[in-house]
Each structure stands twice: as C-alpha cells, then as structure tokens.
Amino acid sequence: MNLAVIFDVSVRGASILIRAIFTFFLARILSLEEFGIYTYISATSAFLIYVGSADFYAYAHREYLSGRISLESTLKAQTLFLSFSLAVAGVVGWLVAQDTLTDGLLLLLPLIIIGETLAAELVRVLIACGKPSTANVVNFLKSAGWMLPLMGYASLQDLPFAYICPMWAAGLLTATLFGIAHLPVSISQIRASMVPPAFFRKAWQCLPGILLGTLALRAIFSLDRLAVEWALGPAVVGIYGFFVAIASAYLALLDAGILARLSPQLITAAAQHGAHNGHGHAHRMRLWALAFGVAALLLYGIFIDDVVLLVGKPAFGESKEIGFILLAAYTVYAYSMGAHSVLYAWGKDKAIYGIHIAGLVPFAVCAACALQLQASWLVAVGVLAATALHAALKTWFAHRLRPAPA
C-alpha cells in the first residue's frame, strides 16, 4: 500500500471517525425529537443532491474518461447545467419540508442542498481526473471539518440545536471553495472552452433514464428515514438514523480505500478496451466488499453495546438489529458496484435504471409492512432486499458482456 493510499484512507478515516463521534455526541445531548429533525434534514439533503446534480456527471464523466471530450469542456457543461438544476433542487427542498421544519431551518435547507451538491460534484470531478487525495480533503471539509468547532464549543458550554445547520452551511462553502481552487484547470480555461452541440444532444437522450435510475437507488438509501418519520414519528427516525450513520461510516471507509480508486480504472478499461477488460477490477471490488462487510459485522456485534452505553440512550440498544441489517445491505450494495461500473462504462443505462426501479418493489413492500406492524426494522429489511436484487441482476447483466469463448 503506497503513501497516497495511506493518506486517502487516513483522511477518510478521520472524516468517518469525526462524523461517528459527532453523531454519538448529538444522539447523547439532543432529545430524540431534535436528533430526529437533524436526521430528517440529512436524509432530505442526501436525496435532493441528486435532483441538484440531475446525475449530469454520470454522463459527462463517462465521456471524459472515454477520451471523447476535454476536462475543460466537461466542467463548462456541468457548470451550465448546474446553474439551472440547483435552483430546482433548492425550491423542492423548501417545499417538501414546509410541514416539518421551522422557518429558520427552511431557509437553511436549500443552502445545505446546494452546498452538498456542489461539494459532491467537486469530489467526483477530482476523482475522475486522477486527484483522489484532493477529493478526500474536499470530502473531509464537506462532511466532517465543520463539526470540530461545534464539538469544541460544546466542551465549554451547552450546544444549542440552532447552531448546527449554520455551521454545516459554512463548512460546505469552505469545501466548495477549496475544491474549485484545486481543480487541475483554471476557471479562465473552463470559460474559454467549447462544448460540442452533439455533447448536449446526447446528454438529453441519456439523462432522463440515468436520473430516474439514480433517484430510484437514492430513494432506497434516503427515503427509508423519511418513511420511518412518516410512519412512526421523529423519535423513531432518530433511532433508525443512528444506525444509518454507523452503516454509512463503514461504506465511506470502503469507498475511500477501494471503490473510489478502482472504479475510474475499471470504467476506463471497459470503455476504451472492451467490457471484458473491466471484469478483473470488478472481481477485486467484490472481494474487498465482502472482506470489509464481514469485518464490519463482527466489529459491530462486539462493540455496539458499548457504544449504546456511551451514548446513554437505551432505546438504541433495543433496536440494534437494524444495524446488522443495514451493514449487510450496504455490503451487498458495495459488492454490486463492480458489475455496475462495467454496465455504466458500456453505456447500459437502460439496464441500470431498470434494475434500480425494480429494487423499489421489495423496498416499498417492506416499508408498507413496517407501517402496518409499527416495526422500523422492516424498513431496513427493505433496503437489504432491494440491494440484493440489484446485485443479482447487475452481476447477471455484466456477465453477459463477457466475450464468448473462441
């Protein structure tokens, strides 16, 4: 393992550790209702950043990695597109939270959605152009750096809930400015570049399906908390969100060390040299996903009771099976990413979004059962069932792209 990988894992590990400590910290000092509102804002923004980006990057980055367009033109196209889509996402966020958030939080939610979208776009761009270490720094500023001042303040006196979202927005602004400053091309080069008309014509053909498929996928990973909030109330979504935070921390570590490094290599190999050239990378990704998953489940089983005791809310301990289910679901999702990247590289967008939409069926069935039985763990089962269906179908479709034996 070289120094760059060690740095990436260390930075992402620090982000994960700080987020985990911050989550446990909030779970301890806030009421279940306040913690539920924080979880609700996190879930809403996590879903709406995909409205904000409209998944334009999925098309644009594939064209760039395939060598069909320059980085400068790619960034100019993304800038033009985001100027419209971000406004739509901000308005949607403001509208959907009307009955849940106070006036002050309603004003901050669109800013958080826009900031999360821009920072996430910069992370993806930096990874695509071969700067994963810089991308991890942007991710650190976006997802964890802003939490440190809040925890420092809380060590001196009580932390009001009203301080959290403004500091969150400030952290997103810092991450965005840092990412822009470290792009491998200048703003003047981006402005002077030309975007071929054919690029946008092809984008309009691809984007509806790509976006629909991504929204279907993100619905499974974001709307689970909204479904729990709608069915069982803020206090229960606070409990569910606690275990989502644990599972998300595990997936972020796996992404930093493995997925973010292997995915661009896999996409380039498959897009430029044939789908069969990506299967070796895909196999490595699957093995790493399984290894990380087994380790995560073992560590969770060993330490979760101690974590609940540290947080000081017994209600979390009464629902710890949710964590086991979500860790398994996120492992299956990571396992599917190898096959997903092969399909993506070869432009099999219809297959991808069809599979993602199909995953909504078991998720919706389990969510409906959770509502009837008042059992939040069934929502987690829905996430697991959906990701298992994704993995099975993507692996099958990707296998069909292998060359026939001579």
Side-chain angles (χ1 to χ4, degrees):
M1 183 177 288
N2 60 39
L3 291 178
V5 174
I6 293 173
F7 175 81
D8 290 344
V9 173
S10 299
V11 172
R12 187 61 72 94
S15 300
I16 294 166
L17 179 61
I18 292 168
R19 286 189 69 85
I21 293 172
F22 188 69
T23 300
F24 300 152
F25 170 74
L26 291 185
R28 183 177 180 85
I29 68 169
L30 299 179
S31 67
L32 283 177
E33 288 75 15
E34 288 177 328
F35 188 68
I37 291 172
Y38 171 75
T39 300
Y40 175 88
I41 294 172
S42 298
T44 303
S45 61
F47 182 70
L48 287 177
I49 63 173
Y50 291 93
V51 176
S53 70
D55 252 17
F56 188 79
Y57 78 89
Y59 163 74
H61 291 185
R62 181 170 61 201
E63 295 298 293
Y64 166 65
L65 289 170
S66 300
R68 291 188 284 266
I69 191 171
S70 69
L71 179 60
E72 294 88 343
S73 296
T74 300
L75 293 175
K76 184 169 185 176
Q78 285 189 266
T79 301
L80 294 171
F81 191 88
L82 288 171
S83 63
F84 169 76
S85 61
L86 282 176
V88 174
V91 172
V92 171
W94 185 80
L95 289 174
V96 299
Q98 286 285 310
D99 297 330
T100 304
L101 302 181
T102 62
D103 290 343
L105 292 176
L106 276 174
L107 292 174
L108 284 168
L109 179 60
L111 296 179
I112 290 172
I113 292 168
I114 292 170
E116 287 280 356
T117 304
L118 289 174
E121 290 288 292
L122 286 163
V123 169
R124 295 184 185 111
V125 166
L126 290 166
I127 289 173
C129 63
K131 301 184 71 174
S133 297
T134 306
N136 276 318
V137 174
V138 174
N139 184 72
F140 174 83
L141 295 171
K142 170 181 99 72
S143 61
W146 60 271
M147 298 174 178
L148 293 173
L150 289 175
M151 289 190 286
Y153 180 91
S155 67
L156 302 175
Q157 54 189 306
D158 291 338
L159 175 67
F161 179 69
Y163 287 14
I164 295 173
C165 287
M167 186 60 74
W168 186 353
L172 293 172
L173 176 61
T174 302
T176 300
L177 294 175
F178 180 88
I180 292 172
H182 286 82
L183 288 172
V185 293
S186 68
I187 293 177
S188 61
Q189 288 175 304
I190 295 171
R191 292 175 61 185
S193 64
M194 299 294 293
V195 182
F199 180 87
F200 278 116
R201 285 199 297 269
K202 186 176 178 182
W204 302 136
Q205 296 171 2
C206 298
L207 279 180
I210 293 175
L211 178 59
L212 183 61
T214 297
L215 290 178
L217 176 64
R218 298 323 305 175
I220 294 166
F221 288 104
S222 301
L223 297 188
D224 57 344
R225 281 155 283 176
L226 304 187
V228 172
E229 193 276 335
W230 178 65
L232 303 170
V236 180
V237 79
I239 295 171
Y240 187 92
F242 175 79
F243 295 106
V244 170
I246 293 174
S248 297
Y250 145 71
L251 185 58
L253 180 61
L254 175 58
D255 180 65
I258 307 302
L259 301 183
R261 287 191 165 274
L262 288 181
S263 288
Q265 299 172 24
L266 189 161
I267 292 166
T268 299
Q272 295 184 355
H273 307 294
H276 59 282
N277 284 285
H279 283 290
H281 293 296
H283 181 64
R284 290 168 60 195
M285 290 171 71
R286 287 193 290 268
L287 291 179
W288 277 109
L290 290 175
F292 268 69
V294 170
L297 286 166
L298 288 174
L299 291 172
Y300 178 85
I302 293 169
F303 293 111
I304 186 58
D305 289 333
D306 295 327
V307 171
V308 170
L309 184 63
L310 179 65
V311 171
K313 284 190 169 60
F316 292 146
E318 296 169 4
S319 301
K320 62 185 179 182
E321 71 277 0
I322 294 174
F324 281 109
I325 299 169
L326 289 176
L327 283 172
Y330 284 27
T331 296
V332 173
Y333 166 74
Y335 178 90
S336 73
M337 285 306 296
H340 173 94
S341 296
V342 171
L343 295 173
Y344 168 73
W346 263 50
K348 303 298 181 180
D349 299 328
K350 291 182 179 179
I352 291 172
Y353 69 71
I355 291 169
H356 288 173
I357 292 171
L360 288 174
V361 176
F363 174 75
V365 169
C366 291
C369 292
L371 175 60
Q372 291 295 320
L373 300 176
Q374 297 288 287
S376 58
W377 62 270
L378 278 172
V379 177
V381 171
V383 178
L384 176 57
T387 55
L389 182 61
H390 291 169
L393 292 176
K394 287 178 182 179
T395 300
W396 182 74
F397 272 97
H399 184 75
R400 294 177 62 195
L401 296 178
R402 286 182 181 274

